[in-house]
Amino acid sequence: MKKTIVMSAFLALFIFSCASTSSTTVAVGEAKTKVLKKLGNPVRTLNNNQNGEILVYADQIFDRENSDGSKIAGPNYWRYNYVYISKEGKVTSTRQEKQNYPPQAIDSQKMQGMNLLTAK
């Protein structure tokens, strides 16, 4: 009986520790260190001019509903979570979006030109 309870507790802990970054939220005003503890290391960090930095988190999502029933992965997209950090090390805002390009293709210079780096 004790072995079953211990194994169940261990399994539950393992499942919750593997949670996706998109399901975890951070609050405005939280310290950067707390964000890193919650979400882990970002896939990219962008310089946000004089405003601080942007931590970029990304999850690749495979859409199985639109697949043709084969074993090959269906269409996919990337779910991004941008966390804006001030110079003081506090969260100023967050933004989520879906895109078709991988995190390596994020061009901070192009985003800066389109005024996408600074949160509204």
Side-chain angles (χ1 to χ4, degrees), residues 2-3 5-6 12 28 30-31 36-37 44 48 56 64-67 69 71 74 85 88 90 95 98 120:
K2 287 182 183 180
K3 194 183 263 188
I5 293 172
V6 171
V28 172
E30 282 188 25
L36 293 175
K37 283 182 183 179
R44 297 275 313 264
N48 193 10
V56 181
R64 295 182 186 210
E65 292 177 12
N66 296 327
S67 66
K71 301 271 186 205
I85 306 291
E88 294 78 28
K90 302 286 184 182
R95 178 172 60 98
K98 294 179 183 178
K120 307 280 187 249

Side-chain angles (χ1 to χ4, degrees), residues 39-113:
L39 301 179
N41 290 326
V43 294
R44 297 275 313 264
T45 302
L46 303 174
N47 183 7
N48 193 10
N49 297 329
Q50 303 298 321
N51 298 323
E53 62 186 349
I54 303 169
L55 306 179
V56 181
Y57 294 90
D59 288 323
Q60 189 173 19
I61 308 298
F62 291 95
D63 187 7
R64 295 182 186 210
E65 292 177 12
N66 296 327
S67 66
D68 60 2
S70 68
K71 301 271 186 205
I72 299 174
N76 66 351
Y77 63 90
W78 289 87
R79 185 179 348 182
Y80 286 99
N81 185 10
Y82 298 93
V83 180
Y84 294 81
I85 306 291
S86 68
K87 284 191 208 177
E88 294 78 28
K90 302 286 184 182
V91 175
T92 57
S93 67
T94 63
R95 178 172 60 98
Q96 288 84 28
E97 69 180 19
K98 294 179 183 178
Q99 291 294 340
N100 291 326
Y101 53 81
Q104 299 85 353
I106 295 174
D107 184 359
S108 61
Q109 297 298 325
K110 184 177 179 182
M111 289 178 74
Q112 183 178 355

